[in-house]
């Protein structure tokens, strides 16, 4: 009675034996000659010949795969120059359905934002010809016309970023987020412009930061003019914050011009202005005791403004920190008075600006923050 052959799996061997086993096995696979007589031909139920590889050749392919070597069928899928058929020369992925380079990546979401998205099928042409709009898998365009997508975003929503996935033609292509008055009185305006660069054979995303609030008296859309067939829109994404919500807080002192420790201390003179940062709580001595009470995402604050040690008739006005000027008073005063008033103002990166009017009086002023909108 002949002994049964001993068949061992690589897993049953010790490490040094396993290396020798795999090495010898791969050598057998690589050196194994091809025997045509061992390849059988079968026919499927429709009578079409199909190849049935021998067990020996299947083992051979497995051995080559273990080494990371391509089999003949795998090698046939590579480009003649050794390139990857799924990517272009720059490594960008190619859409196998269209042959065009597809989007490289989707930008990360911004914490605290909600998003409104759409694709090329949401667009229509502003042309009267029904054939002018091309809604195809490789993007929407309407040659020598605009393609337009209405935006249905609730009034009061704060729009913070617009991302466009598209391609440009021979020149950079602007994509506009435009507003129109509902009563059709007055001109439309481009609120945001996202420019697709040249060359842009890939639908790489381009994002434009912005900061505006959807107005209930206006409508909004996205528009792009197709100067040639390469000006295409694939998709868009709009980052938003919901309508402002008030956050009440324990009131804190943010500024007191009487304290030398604060930035830009001293009286404010007529026809001058002063930028004040209000995010930190300060002590009576003017030093910071609690930093960043107001978060960076705050849109506006409620506050009390006090004018004290006044020298004559005048007023103070308060605006966002980048405003060039204003004549709308927040508080009026006469000589030798201490008066206060409550108001609300939008922020520019945590800053507001205080203007002293054109009267005769100067004054010290104090700002106490009572809450914020986000």
């Amino acid at each position: 009675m002949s002994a049964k052959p001993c068949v061992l799996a690589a897993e049953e061997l010790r490490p040094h034996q396993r290396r020798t086993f795999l090495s010898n096995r791969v050598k057998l696979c690589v050196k194994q000659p091809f025997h045509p007589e061992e390849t059988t031909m079968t026919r499927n139920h429709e009578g079409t010949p199909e190849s049935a590889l021998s067990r020996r050749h299947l083992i051979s392919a497995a051995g080559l795969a273990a080494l990371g070597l391509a089999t003949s069928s795998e090698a046939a899928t590579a480009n003649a120059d050794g390139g990857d058929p799924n990517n272009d020369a720059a490594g960008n992925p190619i859409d196998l359905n269209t042959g065009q380079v597809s989007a490289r990546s989707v930008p990360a979401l911004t914490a605290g934002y909600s998003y409104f998205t759409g694709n090329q099928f949401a667009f229509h042409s502003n042309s009267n010809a029904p054939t002018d709009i091309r809604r195809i898998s490789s993007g929407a365009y309407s040659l020598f016309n605009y393609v337009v997508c209405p935006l249905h975003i609730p009034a009061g929503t704060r729009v913070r970023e617009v991302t466009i996935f598209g391609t440009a033609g021979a020149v950079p292509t602007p994509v506009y987020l435009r507003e129109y008055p509902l009563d059709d009185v007055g001109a439309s305006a481009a609120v945001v412009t996202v420019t697709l660069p040249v060359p842009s054979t890939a639908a790489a995303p381009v994002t434009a930061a912005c900061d505006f609030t959807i107005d209930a008296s206006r409508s909004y859309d996205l528009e792009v003019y197709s100067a040639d067939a390469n000006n295409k829109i694939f998709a868009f994404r709009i980052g938003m914050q919901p309508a402002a919500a008030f956050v009440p807080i324990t009131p804190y002192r943010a500024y007191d011009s009487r304290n030398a420790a604060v930035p830009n201390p001293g009286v404010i003179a007529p026809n001058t202005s002063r930028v004040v940062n209000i995010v930190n709580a300060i002590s009576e001595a003017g030093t910071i005791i609690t930093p960043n009470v107001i978060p960076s995402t705050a849109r506006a604050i409620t506050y009390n403004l006090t004018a004290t040690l006044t020298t004559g008739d005048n007023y103070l006005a308060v605006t966002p920190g980048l405003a060039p000027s204003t004549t709308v008073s927040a508080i009026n005063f006469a000589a030798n008075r201490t008066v206060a008033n409550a108001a609300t103002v939008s922020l520019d990166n945590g800053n507001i600006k205080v203007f002293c009017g054109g009267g005769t009086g100067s004054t010290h002023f104090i700002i106490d923050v009572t809450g914020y909108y986000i």
Side-chain angles (χ1 to χ4, degrees):
M1 181 176 180
S2 60
K4 293 183 179 180
C6 179
V7 178
L8 292 176
E11 292 78 4
E12 298 174 300
L13 301 176
R14 295 179 179 178
H16 71 280
Q17 294 173 320
R18 188 180 300 117
R19 287 193 296 269
T20 303
F21 174 84
L22 290 174
S23 176
N24 291 337
R25 186 63 175 268
V26 171
K27 288 178 182 177
L28 287 174
C29 293
V30 172
K31 293 181 179 180
Q32 179 62 46
F34 176 72
H35 296 284
E37 67 276 9
E38 293 183 333
T39 301
T40 60
M41 296 297 292
T42 63
R43 292 184 177 271
N44 60 20
H45 64 282
E46 293 178 350
T48 302
E50 53 187 27
S51 175
L53 295 179
S54 68
R55 180 180 178 184
R56 178 180 299 170
H57 290 93
L58 292 175
I59 293 173
S60 237
L64 291 173
L67 285 182
L69 302 176
T71 62
S72 59
S73 61
E74 291 171 329
T77 64
N79 291 338
D81 59 358
D84 184 349
N86 298 317
N87 296 277
D88 70 359
N92 303 311
I94 295 175
D95 187 331
L96 298 181
N97 294 320
T98 66
Q100 294 195 1
V101 178
S102 60
R104 293 169 181 164
S105 63
V106 175
L109 302 180
T110 300
Y113 289 5
S114 58
Y115 286 89
F116 176 74
T117 63
N119 60 22
Q120 68 266 31
F121 298 103
F123 286 80
H124 65 272
S125 174
N126 69 340
S127 169
N128 292 326
T131 59
D132 277 346
I133 182 68
R134 274 76 168 179
R135 294 178 179 176
I136 55 178
S137 59
S138 60
Y141 70 97
S142 180
L143 199 56
F144 305 118
N145 286 293
Y146 279 93
V147 289
V148 180
C149 174
L151 299 177
H152 306 291
I153 302 174
T157 300
R158 185 182 184 186
V159 179
R160 301 305 306 274
E161 64 181 31
V162 178
T163 300
I164 301 295
F165 298 80
T167 58
V171 297
T173 300
V175 181
Y176 303 106
L177 192 160
R178 188 175 289 275
E179 63 178 12
Y180 292 84
L182 293 182
D183 58 6
D184 203 26
V185 176
S188 66
V191 184
V192 184
T193 301
V194 183
T195 301
L196 302 176
V198 173
S200 60
T201 55
V206 179
T207 299
C210 58
D211 191 355
F212 72 95
T213 300
I214 297 295
D215 189 336
S217 67
R218 296 179 176 274
S219 64
Y220 299 83
D221 64 26
L222 286 174
E223 303 175 1
V224 60
Y225 183 78
S226 299
D228 61 49
N230 291 315
N231 296 141
K232 298 175 184 176
I233 296 294
F234 294 80
F236 64 88
R237 188 178 78 184
I238 299 175
M240 307 170 295
Q241 290 177 306
F246 180 67
V247 180
I249 60 173
T250 301
Y252 69 91
R253 180 145 298 175
Y255 183 82
D256 188 340
S257 66
R258 300 171 299 175
N259 294 324
V262 301
N264 300 317
V267 297
I268 185 168
N271 298 309
T272 64
S273 64
R274 186 175 301 173
V275 175
V276 177
N277 185 278
I278 52 77
V279 300
N280 304 316
I282 64 172
S283 67
E284 290 184 2
T287 58
I288 296 175
I289 54 175
T290 306
N292 301 316
V293 180
I294 299 298
S296 60
T297 53
R299 310 183 194 188
I301 59 166
T302 56
Y303 66 97
N304 289 326
L305 174 65
T306 302
T308 188
L309 301 175
T310 60
T311 63
D313 294 345
N314 213 335
Y315 69 90
L316 295 179
V318 180
T319 68
L322 298 180
S325 64
T326 184
T327 57
V328 179
S329 67
I331 194 168
N332 299 286
F333 55 85
N336 302 313
R337 300 290 180 88
T338 295
V339 291
N341 193 29
T344 302
V345 65
S346 297
L347 298 176
D348 281 328
N349 294 320
N351 295 317
I352 62 174
K353 184 180 285 187
V354 179
F355 292 85
C356 188
T360 59
S362 61
T363 184
H364 279 286
F365 65 95
I366 302 165
I367 298 173
D368 298 314
V369 178
T370 59
Y372 62 89
Y373 289 89
I374 193 168

